[in-house]
Structure formats: structure tokens, C-alpha cells
Amino acid sequence: VATPSSTLRELLQAYGERVERALDERLPSANTHPAILHDGMRYAVLAGGKRIRPFLVYAAGTALGASAARLDGPACAVELIHTYSLVHDDLPAMDDDDLRRGRATCHKVYGEGVAILVGDALQTQAFHVLAHDPTLVDDPRARLRMIETLSYASGSRGMCGGQAIDLAAAGQQLNLAELEDMHIHKTGALIRASVLLGAYSARAPETVVEDLDHYAKCIGLAFQIQDDILDVTGETQALGKQAGADAAHNKPTFPGLLGLSVARERAAELVEDAVARLRDLDEAADPLRWVARYIVERGH
Ligand code: IPE
Ligand code: IPE
Ligand code: MG
Ligand code: MG
Ligand code: MG
């Protein structure tokens, strides 16, 4: 009998493989001129990773009746933005990390200059994928809305803004509201956009979009709370990135402010709030319910 967790594991694997192929098709080959840049882009993107954001695109879209083929472009776009954010997040001028997804960070292999350009090029590639996607020719409104949503979520009022708050916060004390604001921007915004792009692919009615948006805001914050928790409790090997990096850089975090058990409670409450908001959706939305719980139960 399929339990939710075995089913989720299978689905994560299946959508993970699907988006891996879709990304491979949408990235220039490693010997395309200039080869160093394209090789670096492929190194950063095709390096594993949990592919949670693409999963959310597929789970939200299929919950509302979209085909997986229609979700490939948006799933790739969010993962390209996410990977760009990781490449830049790891740079010496930011978190200065040597390990990402179980291997050397992009700048360690290609140098800082190329890693900056890899991030820049992945970012613009994300928007090219959405603008170019042939499955959206019948729905220019959805295409434009996706570009609008993803650009806002990635920019100064979304992820980039959150990263600017994070940079300024190193060594500072933030209160709970300030910490939540940082997390909602640096991580929540892109997770929210992932769910919304899935919903737009399916031409969901606005009331459903509002419910999914509430779900997505809750799990987006919970995701970064769990990331902070894992930085304390996880092992470098399992995480595929340096454990204890937040403390080493004096970053304000949820477990730092509230302690581990209150941070865990806060993340769990957010997930329950998220799942409650899916009450009007049928069992086609179960993957959204399962992945919400996975986000706070995951060990890496
Ligand atoms: C790490 O994201 C960075 C954050 C925004 C917390 P993930 O934990 O999704 O990293 P990958 O994609 O699986 O490597
Ligand atoms: C990541 O926050 C936020 C973005 C990459 C936008 P972290 O700096 O905590 O992510 P990790 O822990 O390095 O993956
Ligand atoms: Mg960071
Ligand atoms: Mg970091
Ligand atoms: Mg972290």
C-alpha cells in the first residue's frame, strides 16, 4: 500500500528526473561559445539539489489539472533563478562557502568572475525560458503573468531584497518580525512564485489562487526556518553544504533567536496553517499537502 511518504519520495524522484531533463534541454551545451560560461552554468544547475521549487510548480499545476508538459518551462525557470541565487549566495562577498550540493561551489571551480556571470546568465535564462516556452502560445496572459510574478519575486522586493537584508543583518540582533521579514524575502518569495506559476499554468480561478498563495507564503517561511534549524542540527555530508555556517558568520536565525524547539514549533504551525488552506481542493492536491510536511521534516 502506498503511504504518503513513499508516494512523496517517488514523486520527488520522478519530478526531479523530469526537471533534470527539461533543464538539460534548456541550457546551452557545455562546448557552446563561450564554453567556460556554459560549462559553469551546467555545473551549477545539473548538480542535484532537492528540486523542491520545481516540485511545487508541478504539484500546484497538476492539482488544478495542468499537464506536466505545460509545467516544464515554469519549473525550469524557478530552478534557474534558485540556482543563480545559490551561486551568488556562496560567493566570498556573501556567505563565502566552499561546498554546495555536495561539491565545490561554482566560484571554487571557475573563479569568482565566472561565477558572477554564471549567476547573471542563469537569471536571464529563466526569463528566456518563460518568454520562449511554446506550450504557452495559447495563453499570452498566463505567460506575461508568470514573467511578472517571477521577476518581482526575484528582485529587490523579493529574493534580492532579502539577500540585502541578510547581508546587513550579519552580526546584528534582529527581532522576530525583522527575522521573518528577511526570510519571507530571501527564500519565501521564490517558493511563493513557484506555487503561483503552477496555478497560472492551470488557469486557476482567483479564489483558488488566493488559497494557494496563502499556502505558499506559509511553507516559504517554514522552509527557511527549517534551513536555519538544519544549519545547527545537520551534518555537512548529509546537507551537501557546510553545517554551522550561520553561527560561524554570526547570522541571525530562528533557532538563534527562539531556540530549536520553539523554532520547530513555529515551522510546524506554519505547515498546519498552509495545509488547512487547501481544504477546498480534492486529492489531486495531496502532493502539496505531503510536500508541506516534508519541508519541516526533511533532514537535508
Ligand atoms: C537552499 O535551498 C537555499 C535556501 C533558499 C534555503 P534548498 O535547500 O532548496 O537547496 P537545493 O536546491 O536542494 O540545493
Ligand atoms: C539562502 O539562504 C537564501 C538564498 C540563496 C536566496 P542561506 O544562505 O541560508 O542558504 P544556504 O544555507 O547557504 O543554502
Ligand atoms: Mg545566505
Ligand atoms: Mg548561504
Ligand atoms: Mg542556510
Side-chain angles (χ1 to χ4, degrees), residues 80-90 159 163 190:
L80 290 167
I81 295 283
H82 169 59
T83 305
Y84 129 65
S85 82
L86 297 179
V87 171
H88 282 190
D89 182 73
D90 290 334
M159 184 275 290
Q163 290 287 69
L190 192 55

Side-chain angles (χ1 to χ4, degrees), residues 50 226 230 233-235 238-240 294-300:
K50 295 180 291 295
Q226 182 67 11
L230 289 172
T233 63
E235 306 276 348
L239 295 177
Y294 165 80
I295 279 172
V296 298
E297 286 162 10
R298 68 198 167 98
H300 65 101

Side-chain angles (χ1 to χ4, degrees), residues 49-50 53 82 86 100-101 187 223-224 227 241 298:
K50 295 180 291 295
R53 294 156 194 79
H82 169 59
L86 297 179
R100 172 66 65 185
R101 295 175 164 173
T187 298
F223 190 93
Q224 184 62 44
D227 185 79
K241 60 185 184 186
R298 68 198 167 98

